Amino acid sequence: MEIFTDIYLGDSKEKLKSLSDNSVDLIVTSPPYADQRKSTYGGIHPDKYVDWFLPISEQLLRVLIPTGTFILNIKEKVVDGERSTYVMELILAMRKQGWFWTEEFIWHKKNSYPGKWPNRFRDSWERLLQFNKDKKFNMYQEEVMVPMGDWAKNRLKNLSETDKIRDNSKVGSGFGKNISNWIDRDKAYPTNVLHLATECNNKNHSAAFPEELPEWFIKLFTKQNDTVLDPFMGSGTTLIVANRMKRNSIGIDIVPEYYEMVRKQLQPVELYLLEPKVKYEKTKSERRITVR
Amino acid sequence: MEIFTDIYLGDSKEKLKSLSDNSVDLIVTSPPYADQRKSTYGGIHPDKYVDWFLPISEQLLRVLIPTGTFILNIKEKVVDGERSTYVMELILAMRKQGWFWTEEFIWHKKNSYPGKWPNRFRDSWERLLQFNKDKKFNMYQEEVMVPMGDWAKNRLKNLSETDKIRDNSKVGSGFGKNISNWIDRDKAYPTNVLHLATECNNKNHSAAFPEELPEWFIKLFTKQNDTVLDPFMGSGTTLIVANRMKRNSIGIDIVPEYYEMVRKQLQPVELYLLEPKVKYEKTKSERRITVR
DNA sequence: GTTCCGCATGAATCGATAG
DNA sequence: ACTATCGATTCATGCGGAA
């Protein structure tokens, strides 16, 4: 079976209209937060955020299959010493739009931005909001309850001794870098708290999330040959992971530089010759890339 | 200085009226969650939760000093496969009432209740909402500093003497970062994610939280001889911790059994003879208990 | 080939300074 | 007065070069 990867350059609100109804199994995305990333995305004022997002989520509701899931990564910022409320207002508005708010996962960012202030500690968590069209949805819990797969084995054999020690010292549950827990264990029961560090190895994108994040949700909510959508693909982490996991994927971004970057990364043959470290050669021959 | 502990039996909304304006330095409480614990509190329907809570928070706003803090432990429950939104509606309503929503801490419950559901994982976190009357409030950050990650210890202890000298000179010339500041430091400021286990040995109270939770906030937001209030004291954890930490405390509960339980636990002399393990004898002679 | 160390760098926030 | 920009603060992580 052939896996496709479609990427679009343009405004999500418009480009999404070209997708068919009920054609996507999972949406995983991290939209620009309010008043962040002004240089690249222009920055949306917190007061206007809900109005800006609702037309997009309306399209997402249309293209998602009834048993599909929408994972939204977002966090409100502090404005004038107080937390903004636009995320809560967005949840309330999306429920009126027809979404079910089924769960809120917590992404605990172990390496949060440093700093010290007289009345505030470092913000080290983000919301991962789960929305569904229907109260019955596909969920493959076994896939994430058995983390001792090839992935973990590969990781473990390459772990240096200091890494093992460092990981041992960490307290944590669920999944993530607490790999040492898995050595003597076949099963880990995940919870709705995810412990991951943000990735520092920049891909020329300021806000890339770690590959483990989309990987976990793709495992949990899709099977092979399903289709994953990221309407704010950025550096394309979600698409690359989906491709490696043999899921079809669709990505949209309004920034030409990101679009170009993802396009180049997904071109299999040419870059394979130029790039010494090609990560995803296993699925290379199966991929079909469409650029529009 | 004498420490007092006042406990009241009755409805918080009414009993709070007997407290003076600006008389409490910190409020830490975990109110009955909507539709939970029906047998003891009668259960408040999610749709009526905000209306039920606002008269109480109005009193709390009155009795709190301007530089005081209100910590509200709450988590919406899942109703018919979907998360209720009453917590978000409550935050929005309390802001209109005059509260500032300063921060949301995450309490990560490391040993959350085990279980498996077809479309849901174990819920292992709760919200700890911080509200303030004023954007300037008392906060004693040094009191809750935590040991630094192994990173610093392993690296800094191996700093050569020349490195130290070089770094010192950098400070003088204004270049580089002041590494020498870090040499004697093994502690770092915490983040807004708290990792605590729930207490297994509950005290006949269905929703007792671990002592570390009120302890952390009492350390962070009060000093000795300040006054801590818990308008839903339950088994009295907040009061007991406050007393041990030499803070005055006020507790209210509508359930006679909890009231009696806390009263007995706080009576110093009689119980001292009966109970082999008295935890708080250090402050015993200083305590004054008022029962109304 | 490992292990160790130096260093850059974040979806941050506040307070001061400038227009 | 009100907004825009800038510097200071701080710590976990990964990478590259050195031992």
Side-chain angles (χ1 to χ4, degrees), chain A residues 32-36 38 41-50 52:
Chain A
Y33 300 177
D35 263 346
Q36 302 288 145
K38 273 183 192 166
Y41 285 98
I44 299 105
H45 191 279
D47 294 344
K48 306 202 171 144
Y49 199 87
V50 176
W52 171 78

Side-chain angles (χ1 to χ4, degrees), chain A residues 165-170, chain B residues 147-156:
Chain A
I165 289 163
R166 191 165 53 182
D167 280 319
N168 268 325
S169 70
K170 287 174 185 169
Chain B
M148 222 178 201
D150 302 329
W151 178 87
K153 263 183 211 162
N154 292 335
R155 300 231 167 153
L156 291 178

Side-chain angles (χ1 to χ4, degrees), chain A:
Chain A
M1 179 97 59
E2 213 171 61
I3 298 298
F4 70 81
T5 303
D6 292 354
I7 59 175
Y8 296 80
L9 171 65
D11 185 358
S12 267
K13 189 176 64 181
E14 300 306 321
K15 291 291 173 186
L16 282 168
K17 290 176 182 165
S18 64
L19 301 183
S20 316
D21 295 2
N22 308 316
S23 60
V24 169
D25 299 273
L26 170 65
I27 302 164
V28 181
T29 199
S30 187
Y33 300 177
D35 263 346
Q36 302 288 145
R37 294 159 82 185
K38 273 183 192 166
S39 53
T40 50
Y41 285 98
I44 299 105
H45 191 279
D47 294 344
K48 306 202 171 144
Y49 199 87
V50 176
D51 287 340
W52 171 78
F53 196 79
L54 281 183
I56 295 165
S57 60
E58 187 187 349
Q59 289 298 313
L60 297 177
L61 187 62
R62 184 182 63 79
V63 302
L64 191 68
I65 64 167
T67 54
T69 292
F70 173 25
I71 298 293
L72 178 62
N73 169 220
I74 200 163
K75 178 73 191 252
E76 62 275 0
K77 65 174 293 190
V78 172
V79 176
D80 196 19
E82 193 182 16
R83 289 236 169 252
S84 295
T85 53
Y86 70 89
V87 173
M88 292 182 299
E89 285 154 15
L90 179 61
I91 294 173
L92 296 175
M94 283 179 63
R95 286 185 81 232
K96 283 185 189 151
Q97 200 176 41
W99 291 100
F100 289 112
W101 178 44
T102 34
E103 182 59 290
E104 178 171 350
F105 294 87
I106 296 295
W107 172 18
H108 174 213
K109 295 187 290 184
K110 289 184 59 77
N111 59 339
S112 55
Y113 201 94
K116 183 185 182 306
W117 309 279
N119 53 1
R120 189 171 295 283
F121 288 135
R122 291 177 298 145
D123 191 5
S124 69
W125 64 278
E126 294 195 13
R127 304 178 194 278
L128 291 161
L129 303 169
Q130 178 189 344
F131 294 96
N132 290 92
K133 271 173 101 158
D134 202 280
K135 285 171 185 173
K136 295 276 183 189
F137 50 88
N138 296 328
M139 194 178 192
Y140 311 101
Q141 297 191 355
E142 325 75 49
E143 300 299 323
V144 291
M145 290 177 84
V146 187
M148 200 58 183
D150 296 336
W151 176 78
K153 269 181 204 159
N154 289 335
R155 294 289 288 250
L156 288 175
K157 77 177 178 192
N158 291 328
L159 268 185
S160 68
E161 206 56 38
T162 46
D163 279 338
K164 283 177 188 170
I165 289 163
R166 191 165 53 182
D167 280 319
N168 268 325
S169 70
K170 287 174 185 169
V171 272
S173 70
F175 77 108
K177 293 295 180 63
N178 200 353
I179 292 172
S180 49
N181 271 356
W182 299 353
I183 290 173
D184 296 326
R185 213 189 278 180
D186 290 293
K187 278 192 175 184
Y189 293 96
T191 70
N192 54 3
V193 177
L194 280 45
H195 301 268
L196 291 174
T198 53
E199 256 169 27
C200 288
N201 52 338
N202 60 352
K203 301 162 178 171
N204 301 326
H205 186 275
S206 54
F209 48 39
E211 293 192 353
E212 284 89 347
L213 204 57
E215 182 178 341
W216 198 74
F217 287 111
I218 289 171
K219 267 197 267 189
L220 183 58
F221 290 118
T222 70
K223 50 190 189 321
Q224 285 200 10
N225 301 310
D226 279 359
T227 299
V228 179
L229 165 65
D230 186 346
F232 302 94
M233 66 176 173
S235 59
T237 306
T238 302
L239 277 73
I240 289 160
V241 173
N243 195 298
R244 183 173 64 212
M245 295 169 72
K246 298 201 164 85
R247 270 75 169 172
N248 300 307
S249 53
I250 304 168
I252 308 172
D253 211 292
I254 201 168
V255 181
E257 286 76 16
Y258 294 153
Y259 172 80
E260 272 304 312
M261 190 165 62
V262 177
R263 194 179 62 78
K264 282 179 186 159
Q265 205 162 7
L266 287 169
Q267 276 178 350
V269 185
E270 295 95 321
L271 270 186
Y272 184 63
L273 299 173
L274 299 172
E275 183 88 40
K277 294 177 197 164
V278 170
K279 286 180 175 176
Y280 315 112
E281 45 187 311
K282 282 179 192 168
T283 59
K284 177 171 57 73
S285 59
E286 293 169 349
R287 273 189 283 153
R288 171 168 66 83
I289 281 110
T290 318
V291 172
R292 307 177 199 220

Side-chain angles (χ1 to χ4, degrees), chain B:
Chain B
M1 180 99 59
E2 211 171 63
I3 299 298
F4 71 81
T5 303
D6 292 356
I7 60 174
Y8 296 80
L9 171 65
D11 185 358
S12 267
K13 188 175 67 182
E14 300 305 321
K15 291 291 173 186
L16 282 168
K17 289 176 182 165
S18 64
L19 301 183
S20 315
D21 295 2
N22 308 315
S23 60
V24 169
D25 299 272
L26 170 66
I27 302 164
V28 182
T29 199
S30 188
Y33 301 173
D35 234 355
Q36 301 275 93
R37 292 192 274 158
K38 271 186 186 164
S39 56
T40 51
Y41 284 99
I44 299 104
H45 192 277
D47 295 344
K48 310 231 167 109
Y49 199 86
V50 175
D51 288 341
W52 170 78
F53 196 80
L54 282 182
I56 294 166
S57 58
E58 187 186 349
Q59 289 298 313
L60 297 177
L61 187 62
R62 184 183 62 79
V63 302
L64 190 67
I65 63 166
T67 54
T69 292
F70 173 24
I71 298 293
L72 178 61
N73 169 221
I74 199 164
K75 179 78 186 261
E76 63 278 350
K77 71 170 292 196
V78 175
V79 176
D80 193 21
E82 190 184 19
R83 290 229 168 256
S84 295
T85 53
Y86 64 88
V87 172
M88 291 178 298
E89 286 153 14
L90 179 61
I91 294 172
L92 296 175
M94 282 178 65
R95 286 184 80 232
K96 283 184 189 152
Q97 200 175 43
W99 291 99
F100 289 112
W101 179 43
T102 334
E103 183 58 294
E104 178 170 349
F105 293 87
I106 294 295
W107 171 21
H108 173 215
K109 297 186 283 186
K110 286 193 287 190
N111 60 341
S112 58
Y113 195 82
K116 185 180 183 302
W117 297 271
N119 53 6
R120 194 168 294 284
F121 287 133
R122 287 175 299 148
D123 193 4
S124 68
W125 65 276
E126 293 198 18
R127 306 177 195 280
L128 291 161
L129 303 170
Q130 178 188 344
F131 294 95
N132 290 93
K133 272 174 99 159
D134 202 281
K135 284 173 184 171
K136 296 275 183 187
F137 49 87
N138 297 327
M139 195 178 194
Y140 311 101
Q141 300 189 352
E142 319 74 44
E143 301 297 323
V144 293
M145 289 184 79
V146 293
M148 222 178 201
D150 302 329
W151 178 87
K153 263 183 211 162
N154 292 335
R155 300 231 167 153
L156 291 178
K157 76 176 179 192
N158 292 327
L159 264 186
S160 69
E161 209 55 41
T162 46
D163 280 338
K164 287 177 188 171
I165 289 164
R166 188 179 60 188
D167 284 318
N168 272 327
S169 68
K170 274 183 188 171
V171 177
S173 58
F175 289 105
K177 70 176 171 184
N178 192 351
I179 293 179
S180 50
N181 269 356
W182 299 56
I183 288 173
D184 293 329
R185 265 184 67 185
D186 53 349
K187 296 202 168 191
Y189 290 99
T191 70
N192 58 359
V193 176
L194 276 52
H195 300 270
L196 293 174
T198 53
E199 225 160 63
C200 298
N201 53 339
N202 70 354
K203 307 156 180 172
N204 302 327
H205 187 270
S206 45
F209 48 39
E211 294 194 351
E212 286 87 352
L213 203 57
E215 183 179 340
W216 197 78
F217 287 109
I218 289 171
K219 269 196 271 189
L220 182 57
F221 290 118
T222 69
K223 52 188 187 324
Q224 286 199 11
N225 301 310
D226 280 358
T227 299
V228 180
L229 164 66
D230 185 347
F232 303 96
M233 66 175 173
S235 59
T237 307
T238 302
L239 276 70
I240 289 161
V241 173
N243 194 298
R244 183 172 64 213
M245 295 169 72
K246 298 201 164 85
R247 271 76 169 172
N248 300 308
S249 54
I250 304 168
I252 308 172
D253 211 292
I254 201 168
V255 181
E257 286 76 15
Y258 293 152
Y259 171 81
E260 273 304 311
M261 190 166 63
V262 177
R263 193 180 61 80
K264 280 179 188 160
Q265 206 162 5
L266 286 169
Q267 275 178 349
V269 184
E270 295 94 323
L271 268 186
Y272 186 61
L273 299 172
L274 299 172
E275 181 89 41
K277 293 179 199 163
V278 170
K279 286 182 175 175
Y280 315 113
E281 43 187 312
K282 283 179 194 168
T283 58
K284 178 171 56 73
S285 60
E286 293 169 348
R287 273 189 282 152
R288 170 168 64 85
I289 283 109
T290 318
V291 172
R292 306 176 200 224

